[in-house]
Amino acid sequence: MVNGLIIKHVLASTEPRQAVTVKGWVRTRRDAKGFSFLELNDGSCLASLQVVVDAGIPGAEHLPQFTTGASVVVEGNLVPSPAKGQKWELRASRVELVGAADASYPLQKKGHTMEFLRTIAHLRPRSNLFGAVFRVRSRLAFAVHKFFQDRDFVYVHTPIITASDCEGAGELFRVTSLKGNIDEKPEADFFSKRTFLTVSGQLEGEAFACALSRIYTFGPTFRAENSNTARHAAEFWMIEPEMAFCDLQADMDLGEEFIKAMAQYAREQCADDLALFEKFVDKELGHRLRFVVERPFVRVPYTEAIAVLKKSGRKFEFPVDYGLNLQAEHERFLTEEHFKSPVTVYNYPREIKPFYMRLNDDGQTVTAMDVLVPGIGEVIGGAQREERLDQLAENMKLHNLKPEDYGWYLDLRRYGAVPHAGFGLGFERLLMFLTGVPNIRDVIPFARTPGNAEF
Ligand code: 4AD
Ligand code: MG
């Protein structure tokens, strides 16, 4: 039953049109003597269409039920609008109520808090702000594919259920069909072993990069991280490119180019929605996105980042020292206050990074890289991978991993091993950066966070 026009197309008309049919939800209704104004929105764009309904036309007898939230069909002629700020309005010749919405409809008034809107995640996409967020999310998902497909990367669907903990951080959700004590006999479980929801498609991605040269994944990822922060979700989408015959430099180049391309795409393709974010969410947004597109990112080795933090004279909640992880507050100081730019930090101490990263000649650091951006901190985590069999086996020992659990992964180093590198980018963190929306819960349709799996 897809017929009629979407409001986006109607509003883009270059000349008046006869006998137009539109369908949508009433945002507001104002009654005057003998006629009414409806603001009609169908989510196809930010703007609503103004509809003028004369009291005498067919269907107008139901106007009292054309309340905020009701769904309606309107037929009429598109004519230039005398009102300010809008080019067109629809002079209705017939209106029809499809579904009424009574006074309990929760989106009656503007100015609800983001916290309240999260409790009505099934209705919030009907608000201006969330309509914009989810249109941008859709456009950017397309832009991700376009970026990689234009560069001949092959899209690989890596498994969601897996037996390996790629990151070794122990933040896994268990998948089991057993009842009772699930650890007693893992071999009796559905997959005859312990299995989990994936925290990263990287390991499987490496296998495909070592066959198809350039690949990327783009799919859901799960982490049972008990961090109730504005930038952690238990279920999020990750983009993971992986390239054969590639070193850390080229990996950093790709990561930076990718972020710039996404910012540019959003500016070109989502201008109306971005203007809304700039007005109501983040006054700096336009300036920041232009800066990201036009200026090179700063690159510093981890040791230099630590030196900057130590010299800052700043009191941080978490300690700063060589060998410690950078915390969000440190990342944000580097990008927001010190460098005032996105920053790529590379060559981290091997102790604080996963087993698969390549050991540098100094024997101390590994070829890790994280891209940090203002307002968020880490958006990309990546590395050149350890392609030397002996070294990889030693790394695994250091991380208490059993080589027999990773036989297939070690095979990639036995047969035609090549230097290779890749990264993971959290799609929601990218969206936070490109929209200015400060909480990850507000860029996911239905967020999963500790203690919350509503909807
Ligand atoms: O830095 P991470 O843990 O790296 C990996 O998983 C690598 N295996 C990726 C690779 O090299 N192929 O995660 C990558 C990115 C982070 O930089 C962050 O943007 C995002 O994933 N991320 C999260 N986003 C939302 N909620 C969480 N709980 C996240 N954990 C990581
Ligand atoms: Mg990371």
Side-chain angles (χ1 to χ4, degrees):
M1 203 194 71
V2 179
N3 52 24
L5 289 163
I6 55 173
I7 287 173
K8 176 182 176 176
H9 294 158
V10 172
L11 289 173
S13 297
T14 52
E15 49 195 51
R17 299 166 82 139
Q18 306 277 308
V20 171
T21 303
V22 292
K23 301 168 183 188
W25 292 267
V26 175
R27 282 292 176 80
T28 58
R29 189 188 84 231
R30 269 186 306 124
D31 296 324
K33 212 170 161 38
F35 64 96
S36 297
F37 291 113
L38 300 177
E39 292 295 329
L40 196 65
N41 189 286
D42 67 0
S44 61
C45 60
L46 185 59
S48 296
L49 175 65
Q50 173 158 290
V51 180
V52 186
V53 186
D54 282 330
I57 64 165
E61 63 277 16
H62 299 298
L63 266 180
Q65 282 181 281
F66 282 49
T67 52
T68 301
S71 51
V72 303
V73 176
V74 180
E75 277 170 34
N77 295 335
L78 192 71
V79 298
S81 175
K84 262 219 195 102
Q86 58 189 29
K87 196 168 165 200
W88 301 112
E89 64 185 28
L90 194 68
R91 289 288 163 123
S93 53
R94 190 183 79 86
V95 293
E96 180 191 329
L97 182 71
V98 178
D102 67 17
S104 66
Y105 182 62
L107 286 173
Q108 299 284 356
K109 286 187 291 268
K110 295 205 170 120
H112 290 303
T113 64
M114 300 292 258
E115 287 74 15
F116 170 74
L117 290 168
R118 261 173 234 149
T119 68
I120 52 164
H122 58 307
L123 296 172
R124 69 178 182 169
R126 296 194 199 179
S127 68
N128 278 342
L129 182 69
F130 284 98
V133 165
F134 295 116
R135 278 189 300 273
V136 170
R137 186 175 170 120
S138 165
R139 303 295 297 205
L140 263 296
F142 174 76
V144 167
H145 286 294
K146 179 159 167 47
F147 178 90
F148 288 111
Q149 297 284 338
D150 283 352
R151 288 162 180 77
D152 290 304
F153 282 64
V154 176
Y155 181 33
V156 179
H157 293 118
T158 49
I160 286 174
I161 300 173
T162 167
S164 51
D165 175 5
C166 173
E167 293 306 295
E171 294 154 348
L172 300 154
F173 285 105
R174 183 80 173 268
V175 174
T176 181
S177 60
L178 292 177
K179 309 264 182 305
N181 184 352
I182 60 171
D183 284 318
E184 206 167 26
K185 264 175 79 187
E187 61 281 5
D189 207 342
F190 189 89
F191 298 105
S192 306
K193 54 162 69 168
R194 284 192 183 86
T195 49
F196 311 93
L197 293 178
T198 185
V199 295
S200 163
Q202 177 197 320
L203 304 188
E204 294 90 349
E206 284 182 51
F208 269 66
C210 292
L212 303 174
S213 292
R214 299 171 173 197
I215 66 97
Y216 69 106
T217 73
F218 183 14
T221 308
F222 307 87
R223 296 199 183 176
E225 233 164 340
N226 208 351
S227 23
N228 229 326
T229 78
R231 49 178 221 151
H232 288 91
E235 176 177 328
F236 60 100
W237 281 57
M238 199 167 12
I239 297 140
E240 296 186 274
E242 189 74 30
M243 296 170 286
F245 305 101
C246 179
D247 63 9
L248 184 68
Q249 291 300 319
D251 195 35
M252 294 193 282
D253 291 346
L254 184 78
E256 295 171 5
E257 186 187 340
F258 179 64
I259 292 175
K260 283 171 178 283
M262 294 303 106
Q264 181 58 18
Y265 190 90
R267 288 173 79 206
E268 283 169 11
Q269 302 289 326
C270 310
D272 289 352
D273 291 330
L274 292 195
L276 180 84
F277 303 138
E278 180 157 340
K279 194 161 167 208
F280 293 110
V281 181
D282 180 356
K283 301 266 181 270
E284 291 296 303
L285 184 64
H287 171 75
R288 191 172 70 232
L289 295 189
R290 183 156 18 90
F291 186 92
V292 165
V293 170
E294 288 170 5
R295 303 273 289 276
F297 291 15
V298 171
R299 277 188 198 174
V300 289
Y302 168 88
T303 36
E304 196 178 318
I306 293 293
V308 165
L309 290 166
K310 284 192 142 177
K311 267 191 274 170
S312 70
R314 182 61 70 95
K315 276 230 167 355
F316 293 110
E317 189 186 337
F318 292 93
V320 175
D321 218 341
Y322 182 91
L324 298 180
N325 258 317
L326 295 182
Q327 302 294 330
E329 55 172 348
H330 308 137
E331 295 173 348
R332 296 190 57 173
F333 175 83
L334 291 172
T335 108
E336 287 162 32
E337 296 185 49
H338 186 79
F339 293 111
K340 296 191 167 46
S341 155
V343 185
T344 307
V345 182
Y346 63 96
N347 285 351
Y348 284 71
R350 74 186 299 202
E351 291 75 23
I352 57 172
K353 288 293 181 185
F355 76 99
Y356 54 71
M357 296 189 179
R358 191 177 198 278
L359 188 66
N360 279 314
D361 292 342
D362 61 16
Q364 310 282 312
T365 59
V366 289
T367 48
M369 66 99 167
D370 281 358
V371 180
L372 320 175
V373 296
I376 289 153
E378 179 191 335
V379 277
I380 283 184
Q384 183 177 339
R385 321 305 185 188
E386 184 55 77
E387 84 284 13
R388 297 163 296 187
L389 184 61
D390 296 350
Q391 190 58 56
L392 185 60
E394 196 197 306
N395 293 358
M396 294 181 76
K397 226 185 280 162
L398 207 76
H399 285 87
N400 290 321
L401 298 173
K402 291 194 223 112
E404 58 272 27
D405 291 343
Y406 292 84
W408 66 269
Y409 187 69
L410 292 165
D411 270 357
L412 304 173
R413 279 76 183 162
R414 284 192 187 100
Y415 309 122
V418 292
H420 59 288
F423 63 79
L425 174 137
F427 187 50
E428 286 77 13
R429 290 201 188 166
L430 176 72
L431 291 172
M432 291 166 71
F433 183 58
L434 298 180
T435 60
V437 170
N439 197 307
I440 198 165
R441 292 163 181 76
D442 300 324
V443 295
I444 309 183
F446 300 100
R448 270 77 182 101
T449 51
N452 180 36
E454 283 302 311
F455 307 100

